[in-house]
Amino acid sequence: MPTSDNELVTAAEACRLLGISTATLYAYVSRGLLGSRPGPDHRSRVYLRADVDRLAQRKRAGRGAARGAAQSLDRGLPVLETRISLIRPDSPYYRGQSAVAAVRAGATLEDIARLLWDCGEQDPFAAPFASAWPQRVQDVAGDASLPPIERALACIPLLALDVRQAFNPALPVRREIAATLLRHNAALLVARAPDARPVHELLGDAWRPGDADFAELVRAALVLCADHELNVSAFAARVVASTGAHLHATVCAGLSALSGPRHGGATMRAYALLRDALDSGDPAGFIASRWQRGEDLPGFGHVLYPHGDPRGAEVLRMLRERRGDAPAMAHVETVIAAAEEASGQHPNIDGLLAALCFVHDLPAAPALVLFAAGRSAGWLAHAQEQQALGTLIRPRARYTGLPPGGADEEAG
């Protein structure tokens, strides 16, 4: 019988489904493999049936090599090697350097792009840069009524037509193309003309002109979002890059993957949580009630950071320093405290991008723009690394449907 994603089960039922003891169940919770929430009597704990089923499936998959491979694309076994980024509890690391430390050292997105692209002494951002859009994209590129991702997706393929060396394999050439593309993507996301300034200044002026503290927060968010190992959008970019496609196509692949509600849409849902909690009149009660009903808390928790997302923690630290006295920040703190009390979960980067916008009286869309503008550096790094390997990403499928001939042949 199909189950609801919000169906809750007791500890005894979770142990039965997983084939484990109560002690092992508690160990799974402490290691972040399974989440729990208060039961009806507030003394017992209950578990989401969907999470228990997912963990049981992964346990079964681990018992056989073929099944393990089949599950490896769901945050499971490694499927590709990379020198670009590494996820550790304290920070993502870009080619061995802490992203959190880079934020505190004042790094810009351009600095991180040079690092991720392994530029060495080359500065691809020093190449000549045109400050106007080609005629064929002018109208769409400047149309602020269009959604940001769709505007970028409409223009980037057309911009590729003017890149004369799009398929040149020389690394210096490809890095210069990537640098221009990173700037173009950022400008398209905010419907501005191409700009050679650092991306955080372009975005900061688009939303809050003259606010230096806000621009610093934008800089930090871009750096922290620049890459995150083999996430969905980076994998999509690598798959496209493995075909030999030009870099513009790989960024379009990343943007397309980011447009889904389970990837880039997380910032929108996190923003809605903050707004709904405010509108409820009782933010702490709203959060606790939502969790007890078996609903998730968008913007909180991360499967790869069971003890807290260091990217979110860094943005929160900076928000507290710069906007700690703002009434909107007090609301954010209330929601964070209530979520941690109810669920034990800490805010992740999606939640803090949403909070950054909420505290500065911006709508939800800029949170996604920050993610897309920053992550483009990582997409371009993965695309260049994949094309340097010269291999095609083409996994095999394990067929589980009817055999040829359908039911008649199966009966025979």
Side-chain angles (χ1 to χ4, degrees):
M1 178 182 296
T3 61
S4 164
D5 285 346
N6 291 334
E7 181 183 342
L8 297 170
V9 298
T10 64
E13 178 67 4
C15 288
R16 185 188 69 79
L17 291 168
L18 291 167
I20 59 175
S21 66
T22 303
T24 301
L25 177 69
Y26 295 155
Y28 282 174
V29 173
S30 68
R31 289 161 54 194
L33 298 175
L34 189 65
S36 69
R37 54 196 71 195
D41 58 6
H42 298 287
R43 293 189 301 273
S44 61
R45 306 296 291 180
V46 292
Y47 307 83
L48 271 178
R49 174 65 184 267
D51 289 348
V52 173
D53 288 344
R54 190 176 299 115
L55 183 57
Q57 183 183 41
R58 291 182 66 181
K59 281 168 59 66
R60 289 191 299 270
R63 295 179 185 137
R67 288 183 178 179
Q71 296 298 319
S72 65
L73 297 183
D74 186 14
R75 303 182 196 251
L77 304 174
V79 295
L80 286 173
E81 293 183 352
T82 181
R83 295 176 177 269
I84 295 170
S85 65
L86 171 69
I87 295 174
R88 288 282 181 88
D90 62 314
S91 175
Y93 281 77
Y94 303 150
R95 294 193 183 273
Q97 298 188 28
S98 164
V100 171
V103 167
R104 296 180 181 181
T108 64
L109 180 61
E110 289 78 5
D111 293 329
I112 298 303
R114 284 187 283 265
L115 173 63
L116 291 174
W117 303 344
D118 199 20
C119 290
E121 296 299 317
Q122 181 191 6
D123 181 6
F125 293 96
F129 184 78
S131 59
W133 294 119
Q135 182 65 41
R136 63 169 62 93
V137 303
Q138 278 184 2
D139 291 343
V140 176
D143 188 348
S145 68
L146 295 172
I149 299 293
E150 285 74 6
R151 184 170 49 244
L153 281 171
C155 293
I156 288 175
L158 298 176
L159 292 173
L161 300 176
D162 293 326
V163 181
R164 298 177 60 187
Q165 299 191 62
F167 295 98
N168 188 326
L171 286 177
V173 174
R174 299 186 69 71
R175 291 170 186 144
E176 289 188 0
I177 292 172
T180 298
L181 181 49
L182 182 140
R183 285 168 163 167
H184 279 175
N185 180 57
L188 288 168
L189 288 168
V190 289
R192 293 297 180 97
D195 200 319
R197 289 179 299 166
V199 169
H200 70 275
E201 293 183 10
L202 168 70
L203 300 184
D205 282 351
W207 296 320
R208 290 180 66 87
D211 188 335
D213 281 343
F214 177 71
E216 270 295 283
L217 286 162
V218 170
R219 179 190 63 79
L222 292 171
V223 168
L224 294 167
C225 288
D227 196 58
H228 205 232
E229 195 218 58
L230 205 60
N231 58 85
V232 176
S233 53
F235 186 60
R238 285 192 82 121
V239 171
V240 171
S242 77
T243 70
H246 52 69
L247 294 179
H248 288 66
T250 67
V251 168
C252 286
L255 288 168
S256 296
L258 195 62
S259 68
R262 296 180 64 187
H263 192 11
T267 56
M268 288 280 193
R269 295 190 296 116
Y271 189 95
L273 182 74
L274 289 171
R275 177 59 61 187
D276 291 346
L278 181 65
D279 293 343
S280 74
D282 178 15
F286 172 84
I287 295 296
S289 176
R290 181 185 176 108
W291 184 252
Q292 290 166 11
R293 290 195 304 269
E295 298 180 31
D296 66 344
L297 299 177
F300 289 86
H302 196 294
V303 68
L304 299 181
Y305 299 110
H307 302 296
D309 185 342
R311 302 168 300 170
E314 182 63 14
V315 177
L316 179 58
R317 180 190 68 80
M318 295 180 67
L319 265 177
R320 285 169 171 164
E321 285 182 353
R322 290 162 172 78
R323 301 285 293 177
D325 297 334
M329 189 64 201
H331 172 66
V332 169
E333 296 281 16
T334 298
V335 169
I336 290 173
E340 292 183 353
E341 173 68 21
S343 69
Q345 295 181 334
H346 305 286
N348 58 35
I349 188 62
D350 299 308
L352 264 300
L353 292 178
L356 190 157
C357 294
F358 183 86
V359 168
H360 289 90
D361 199 27
L362 295 171
L368 179 56
V369 169
L370 285 170
F371 198 105
R375 189 56 57 85
S376 63
W379 297 335
L380 289 162
H382 282 281
Q384 293 177 69
E385 183 179 65
Q386 186 62 42
Q387 291 184 338
L389 291 173
T391 56
L392 183 69
I393 298 176
R394 201 299 190 186
R396 293 299 310 277
R398 184 166 62 90
Y399 180 67
T400 59
L402 286 173
D408 291 341
E409 183 170 320
E410 187 177 46

